[in-house]
Amino acid sequence: MTTPSNPLSGEMVALIERLAPNEGYSLSALDGVRFMRSNRPLGRTPVLYEPSIVIVCQGRKLGFLGDQVYVYDAQHYLVLSVPLPFSTETQASHDEPMLAVAIRLDLTDVAELILAIDARAGTPPDSAPLGIVSTPLAGDLAEATVRLLRALSVPLDAQILGPALVREICFRVLGGEQGGAMRAALAHQGRFGRVAKALRRIHADYSQPLDVTHLAREADMSVPAFHVNFKAVTQTSPIQYIKSTRLHHARLMMIRDGLTAASASARVGYESASQFSREFKRFFGRTPVEEVRDMKASFALSPAAPVGELAFTH
């Protein structure tokens, strides 16, 4: 595995190893910030990421969407401006687990930052909006990440300093190498913005009946135009996106909440449990029972570590 060139990587790794002792996902002391840990390599795995910044401190992940491959490791971070189902490959081992911090984007805070950055620049970005980008990790962003991890290790620091540090990280990303494309996407203007609105609607109401004609009307597009623009952003059709969103949420319900396949299928809007099982196996390549058994560790959600017991010297 490549040795990280970032001089702060060692401290990042030590902090996350203590903050996320369990494999899978771990909550932090701050809402909207989670840790990701994998103690083993994982082949191509379907995932669903919300709009977020993912900074890998050790190990490597590859993201696959359409014909594009996105690398996020100790030298690169990943940003998603819209919720996207895609697939990932994880490079990790027991001795060098994959360790990452994921920061959910608060669209209200992000909108304020975009206004401030564009006002200072004098003109809005002329970059094409992108739903997902992988970008080299600059020193100022790495430093802000270390300060956030330190703050999350102390309850009072997490409460007082944490929100401002998250805001700084978002600011560094929006002003970074591909910040223009992210600002253009997150401003939710034009056709990209109308598709982004439809994606938010799907994620809010995935358990309800969703009609593509109605979604297109809400986006102020004809159905053919909606299909074309939707696929340009997500690399899939609206129907397939709705289906994959429901299947991803059902998988998490079975893994994290212990629901049966029948209960999860009803919870996400399926009327037929047998249809759910068929589509689940077609999408994930395994039955619900097999998928839950094999992915339980990778998608488990652990509570925040008892950070009051953590002690670090700076």
Side-chain angles (χ1 to χ4, degrees):
M1 203 168 289
T2 305
T3 302
S5 61
N6 178 0
L8 298 171
S9 288
E11 185 176 1
M12 287 185 187
V13 169
L15 286 161
I16 296 187
E17 280 189 324
R18 305 278 302 272
L19 289 162
N22 301 318
E23 192 167 16
Y25 291 76
S26 294
L27 299 174
S28 78
L30 199 62
D31 183 43
V33 179
R34 292 185 179 185
F35 304 110
M36 302 162 62
R37 178 176 186 142
S38 180
N39 299 334
R40 60 200 167 109
L42 290 171
R44 290 278 286 266
T45 304
V47 296
L48 173 62
Y49 281 13
E50 59 189 343
S52 55
I53 302 163
V54 182
I55 300 170
V56 174
C57 304
Q58 181 174 272
R60 170 177 290 189
K61 290 183 76 71
L62 303 175
F64 303 90
L65 182 66
D67 297 329
Q68 297 295 311
V69 180
Y70 302 89
V71 177
Y72 44 129
D73 55 15
Q75 288 86 40
H76 304 84
Y77 62 93
L78 190 77
V79 187
L80 293 97
S81 62
V82 292
L84 282 178
F86 60 113
S87 62
T88 63
E89 179 183 315
T90 303
Q91 298 174 7
S93 68
H94 184 269
D95 293 333
E96 287 190 35
M98 190 287 300
L99 300 168
V101 56
I103 300 169
R104 185 179 66 235
L105 293 178
D106 183 301
L107 297 182
T108 301
D109 289 346
V110 164
E112 292 177 1
L113 289 170
I114 290 172
L115 285 173
I117 293 170
D118 290 347
R120 185 72 175 179
T123 56
D126 58 2
S127 306
L130 295 173
I132 179 172
V133 296
S134 171
T135 309
L137 181 65
D140 51 6
L141 179 56
E143 290 169 4
T145 303
V146 168
R147 285 186 276 114
L148 174 64
L149 295 174
R150 289 173 183 163
L152 292 173
S153 304
V154 182
L156 187 59
D157 289 15
Q159 178 186 345
I160 303 300
L161 302 177
L165 289 167
V166 167
R167 184 177 174 85
E168 179 185 348
I169 288 171
C170 291
F171 169 75
R172 299 293 181 195
V173 167
L174 293 172
E177 184 174 315
Q178 297 193 73
M182 282 293 100
R183 297 201 307 279
L186 289 161
H188 289 161
Q189 296 174 349
R191 293 184 175 183
F192 187 100
R194 283 181 270 168
V195 170
K197 180 181 177 182
L199 299 182
R200 293 199 303 275
R201 167 70 186 281
I202 291 168
H203 279 268
D205 297 333
Y206 63 84
S207 63
Q208 306 300 316
L210 289 167
D211 178 70
V212 174
T213 301
H214 186 69
L215 290 171
R217 190 181 305 121
E218 286 185 342
D220 196 24
M221 294 183 192
S222 66
V223 172
F226 183 68
H227 272 271
V228 169
N229 286 283
F230 195 99
K231 188 161 188 178
V233 174
T234 66
Q235 298 297 305
T236 191
S237 70
I239 290 293
Q240 286 301 118
Y241 185 96
I242 292 168
K243 184 182 297 183
S244 66
T245 298
R246 287 172 171 157
L247 293 172
H248 277 291
H249 281 284
R251 175 171 66 169
L252 289 181
M253 290 174 186
M254 290 185 286
I255 289 173
R256 295 177 179 173
D257 303 327
L259 267 62
T260 64
S263 297
S265 68
R267 189 79 64 87
V268 301
Y270 275 84
E271 295 181 0
S272 166
S274 59
Q275 181 190 358
F276 167 80
S277 293
R278 285 195 303 273
E279 293 187 353
F280 190 100
K281 185 172 183 179
R282 194 177 302 125
F283 187 79
F284 291 110
R286 293 184 284 201
T287 67
V289 171
E290 292 168 339
E291 179 72 4
V292 170
R293 180 193 64 215
D294 293 345
M295 302 305 294
K296 202 166 187 66
S298 300
F299 289 96
L301 181 61
S302 300
V307 294
E309 299 174 9
L310 304 185
F312 296 95
T313 56
H314 305 333

